Amino acid sequence: MGNRFQVKDRFADGAQYIDGQLRSGTSGQSHTVVDPATGDEVLTYELASTTDVDEAVAAAKRAFPGWSGATPGERSDALHRLAAVLAEQAEDFAYAESLQCGKPIKLSTEFDVPGTIDNTAFFAGAARHLQGQAAAEYSGDHTSYVRREAIGVVGSIAPWNYPLQMAAWKILPAIAAGNTIVLKPAELTPLTSLMFAQAAKDAGLPDGVINIVTGAGREAGEHLVGHPDVVMTSFTGSTAVGKRVAEIATATVKRLHLELGGKAPFLVFDDADLEAAAHGAVAASLINTGQDCTAATRAYVQRPLHDAFVARVAELMEGVRLGDPFAPTTDLGPLVSRAQRDRVAGFVERARAYATVVTGGEIPAGDLDRGAYYRPTLITGAAQDSEVVQSEIFGPVLVVLPFDSDDEGIALANDTPYGLAASAWSRDLYRANRATREIKAGCVWINDHIPIISEMPHGGYKASGFGKDMSAYSFEEYTQVKHVMYDNTAVAEKDWHRTIFGDRP
């Protein structure tokens, strides 16, 4: 990884980034970022107070007139420069992301960081294409057109599983549209969000456009969401916390964007390519150690393929290499914390009473015991209404269930409260197309599971929330649509006035 920067030196001034400067929090409470692979301290910092949140929002409010008044081309140029800075600092970003999350360095290097750079480049272009309906004389006597305007200060909350990418997903569409933002990252993983804001300053973005407050959810997070000068809240996290965010935001009539939990089905029809489906299931269930709201968690396999699928997936899982996240050969890193590992282990231990753990289901011994590691786990024999099928585990656990008819398979795929992502595996075009129509999810992959691209939207159905990240569709969240209508007649006494007062001649 070359010359890795020293985290404690990099953030010696604190883990709050307000009005273009790093500073310490004022809550009087500290938090320690821990390397989940070793349990070692990475950084101890002071958490943000409500006063820090107020100052960040005030900085964003001051910056808003200038940034929203910049031309689309000026904002585009700034984001292009930001993409270049991120590319120059890619190695540092990958190192910090793996250090705070435990991600294998190959995932940070080949997925998280380049995905974020690509996202930045996409929104640099999209900033110049805020589209509205074409100007026309829809009434006959007037010319109408649509303006897309920035809405103001956005207060966003990002999760710990993809700290860099989620920060970018929140920040980029907001500022591309001319808004300013205060982002609260998860206390566990603030490093790359802070680095992203610093990179924006290096790229020449004005102070106050991007602000980062790192604090506890009940103090800093709730205060940010309820702040009277915050006009919109975007939250990614669990459905339970999303409900609380919605309660606070709607009390002050804020615009709200929620990307919540998932329990993605992986639907394998009996004509699928078995080898492709098995490889896809292992990759899609273990990405980011399963800490991915779109990860494959429920594999429904049509009965003729079920046993062979289970055997092949088990074989592949047993070959997955756990180890040091910074070793290039490591496939699976630790979970983000021991608490998260123990939560995942609890699901598996309870499942032993009603299902079969085919492989995995244990904390590895030896050197890996220092960290928050858990072996890839495959479960069969669970009932559709069981906990491991219905609840979001957020770990390296895949549950496989059989189905008979296509109708049953699609019904089972839809049978959870969630609807974020899904996949269907078939060589039959008509079967695949039916799955894309009838599975209730914001994204349905065919013969693959997980890939995302900047040009396409990401967001869910049902308890997985509403609104879209990435793509031009995200501007629906971060812009105000204004209808402008001009009279073209220059007639003082218009015919329609007579429906209100006076008589027709």
Side-chain angles (χ1 to χ4, degrees), residues 23 273 410 475:
R23 47 180 271 189
D273 181 326
I410 291 173
F475 287 131

Side-chain angles (χ1 to χ4, degrees), residues 435-487:
T436 65
R437 293 193 306 271
E438 296 186 15
I439 293 177
K440 305 303 180 188
C443 175
V444 180
W445 292 283
I446 298 298
N447 295 326
D448 208 344
H449 191 119
I450 284 296
I452 53 174
I453 49 175
S454 297
E455 292 82 359
M456 288 291 118
H458 175 87
Y461 285 33
K462 303 188 292 184
S464 292
F466 48 82
K468 300 299 179 185
D469 289 311
M470 298 196 298
S471 81
Y473 290 97
S474 64
F475 287 131
E476 302 292 340
E477 319 301 321
Y478 295 99
T479 57
Q480 189 69 264
V481 174
K482 178 184 286 185
H483 170 216
V484 178
M485 186 179 238
Y486 285 90
D487 170 59

Side-chain angles (χ1 to χ4, degrees), residues 196-219:
F196 189 92
Q198 291 177 303
K201 184 180 179 74
D202 293 343
L205 272 74
D207 291 347
V209 172
I210 301 172
N211 305 273
I212 310 293
V213 288
T214 307
R218 290 193 179 276
E219 183 175 4

